[in-house]
Amino acid sequence: MPDIRTVATHCPYCALQCGTRLTRERRGVSVRPTDFPVNRGGLCQKGWTAPALLDVPDRLRNPLVRRGGELVAVDWDTALGTVAAGIDRVRREHGPDAVGVFGGGGLTNEKAYLLGKFARLALRTSQIDYNGRFCMSSAAAAGNAAFGVDRGLPFPVTDLGGADVVLLAGANPAETMPPLMQHLSAAQLVVIDPRRTATAERAALHLRPAPGTDLALVLGLLHIAVVDGWSDTAYIRSRTTGFDAAWQRATTWWPERVERVTGVPVTAQRQAVRMLAEAGSAYVLTGRGAEQHSKGVDTVSGFINLALALGLPGRPGRGYGCLTGQGNGQGGREHGQKADQLPGYRMISDPAARAHVAGVWGVPPEVLPGPGRSAYELLDAAGRADGPRALLVFGSNPAVSAPNAGHVGERLSALDLLVVADFVPSETAELADVVLPVTQWAEEEGTMTNLEGRVLRRRRLQVPPGHARSDLEVLHGLAVRLGEPGHRYPTSPREVFDELRRASAGGKADYSGITYDRLDSGEALHWPCPDPQHPGTPRLFLDGFAHPDGLARFEAVEHRAPAETPEEAFPLTATTGRVLAQYQSGAQTRRVAELNEASAEAFVEIHPDTADRAGLAEGALARVTSPRGSALARVRIVATMRTDTVFLPFHFPGPGRANLLTGDALDPRSRMPEFKVSAVRIEPAEEVAAR
């Protein structure tokens, strides 16, 4: 009989967390989609090829330590001892905040929780943040301000299947999460995006604002909703507060002014509002295109204001939501990876929150450090006198994914100690002093929280190759070597989750009623779930919002220009994003042959007239330059591009890194970098490899 074993689990990529069934036999691992609600038997190209990740040729199998400039294989005791000795040395010389931790939105809930605990207890550092700061932080801040709680979708994905109209602002799910599109197939789509994306191709109405002007556009949509009589005045009076102040800001954004600023015709503005208002069931959804700006929180707040004015949130068949990006982007920020948060979505500056979590951890509250630097600020401070001199990176590849990537690479190289835990040799791992090989999705147990706040079980199919260990084992081993009691850092995912439940109890993201047994029995459990008899909360806000008075808040927001605008030396605007075949920094997907064949190198989309002025032809190699640096990319001439805009995907390494162009302007509230707007010029480049 062939050696076959099957487990039900979930895709390792985006926040849909599509249900899959993995089967291991002698010829390898195969995958089949399950009839899980979010994917209903569908998978995208990445999901179908996910098993290829399990045996990529350069899979990390042994710990590596840099000696004589080269990374050489060592045993675990040597690797962990090297890390612990380096941390001790840095702390003695510079203090506990000289050690930083950078986490990831793909880590399981258990890993995210224990990583935050490790940073604050074993390292006693405030310097921890994660790459979710680059994805969801603006929507999280806006959601908390408006509703009192941040959950990407406060309703199940399946609710979208009954929608008549869905507005998608800065979201391209046809490429970034294709299985979601089956839930949008019955709706008329209103898509707001400077590009004619695959999602925009399916839209009933496509609004194409100039990059960086989304907030001006949505202020204009709110203006039309009120002046043209589409607003739900009874809902505004009974379920919200702050409308008058928000409306005062929108009064000056009459449709003709909005057209001048954004380029979106008045007729299209009015049509968008009318479609939403007349629909029996309507939703407003935002994505990274609305969030990744130096005014990302205000922009998302503008779309929430529009949804509130139309009476959508907290009503059956209607609502506002954000399409979370990373696989555990939701759970990853709820359990302590974020610089200002403790488990359960508690704020680290809140004395009651500190007391509760410290009690679970068995330490005095005063032991816990305060808030630290946000993700980019943490990376920017690396190697400086007042910043981290040692950095531990788990599940992230900031050498490619961070803005101003050339500068970030210099800061990482300036560290006294860089430690990277990963399962492939990412571009960040290649810079490291110590590389720790860890398990990946099909080799571990744990939980993930998808974009609708549903907690899911990740199940182990096979043992990891070589000497790879789980992140929980790595954290335990380091903590013990740093003088911590071993029992404080369990290596069993179930044991860690049980502690996470206690730490989250009473918080906004309350997992205390969720157990492995309940999940394994097939229960669909969305947080908050405050006790073992509670059924979970798939739909938030039906009886009131999470503020003490039960009312949603309008935010008074005003449009402002991007931090960087085109000028004579840099006359175009570059915007970045994802493509179907690749994912995030590409460290995983670029190692899958089928995906790499579909999208193998960096490219730049450009309008034919713009290309002609720059002397560029289809397939030529272009140099795209911003005030920070240059990226090399293959030209794709796209007739639907704006003449003032070029687009680059951010998945590629080396000279093809789109984030060599992006800047360090941050949203003042979320600390989100402005990925979506960079002033650039474009010109022919010498014909060398762009990868």
Side-chain angles (χ1 to χ4, degrees), residues 8-11 16-21 31-43:
T9 188
H10 295 269
C11 178
L16 273 183
Q17 286 295 286
C18 294
T20 60
R21 187 170 299 278
V31 62
R32 288 290 181 272
T34 63
D35 193 30
F36 188 66
V38 300
N39 59 306
R40 288 179 172 168
L43 284 179

Side-chain angles (χ1 to χ4, degrees), residues 613-635:
R613 287 194 296 271
L616 293 166
E618 175 75 21
L621 193 66
R623 181 180 302 278
V624 187
T625 302
S626 80
R628 288 154 296 281
S630 297
L632 297 179
R634 194 69 60 186
V635 171

Side-chain angles (χ1 to χ4, degrees), residues 16 37-38 147 149-163 165-168 180 183-184 281-286 307 312-324 330 450-454 526-528 537-542 545:
L16 273 183
V38 300
F147 307 125
V149 69
D150 155 44
R151 201 174 86 185
L153 295 185
F155 47 80
V157 164
T158 50
D159 284 4
L160 295 171
V165 175
V166 176
L167 183 148
L168 292 162
L180 179 67
H183 301 285
L184 301 175
S281 173
Y283 292 86
V284 172
L285 305 178
T286 58
L312 305 183
R315 299 174 78 176
R318 302 180 180 189
Y320 161 80
C322 173
L323 298 179
T324 305
Q330 183 69 54
N450 76 348
L451 78 171
E452 56 188 5
R454 177 168 171 171
H526 301 70
W527 67 259
T537 314
R539 294 173 184 85
L540 296 174
F541 314 141
L542 296 180
F545 296 96

Side-chain angles (χ1 to χ4, degrees), residues 11 18 28-29 74 189 218 254 285 359 365 368 453 470 501 513 522 534 582 603 620 685:
C11 178
C18 294
V29 175
V74 298
L189 302 183
V218 75
W254 55 90
L285 305 178
L368 303 182
S470 75
R501 293 171 53 218
H534 194 282
Q582 301 289 353
F603 64 86

Side-chain angles (χ1 to χ4, degrees), residues 398-401 404-409 427 602 630-632 648-662 690:
V400 175
S401 64
N404 201 4
H407 171 71
V408 167
E427 289 69 29
S630 297
L632 297 179
L648 299 93
F650 61 80
H651 312 289
F652 300 99
R657 282 177 291 172
N659 280 319
L660 292 169
L661 308 175
T662 53

Side-chain angles (χ1 to χ4, degrees), residues 28 58 67 129 144 186 213 250 357 363 477 490 547 590 613 641:
D58 60 349
R67 291 176 175 169
D129 211 76
N144 276 319
T213 65
V357 173
V363 298
H547 290 296
R590 284 186 275 107
R613 287 194 296 271
M641 285 294 295

Side-chain angles (χ1 to χ4, degrees), residues 106-138:
L107 300 181
T108 64
N109 289 319
E110 292 80 1
K111 294 179 186 179
Y113 171 81
L114 204 67
L115 186 62
K117 181 181 181 182
F118 171 84
R120 293 178 173 107
L121 293 190
L123 299 178
R124 300 294 170 92
T125 183
S126 67
Q127 302 299 296
I128 175 173
D129 211 76
Y130 82 127
N131 62 14
R133 182 76 68 170
F134 300 156
C135 285
M136 283 291 300
S137 57
S138 290

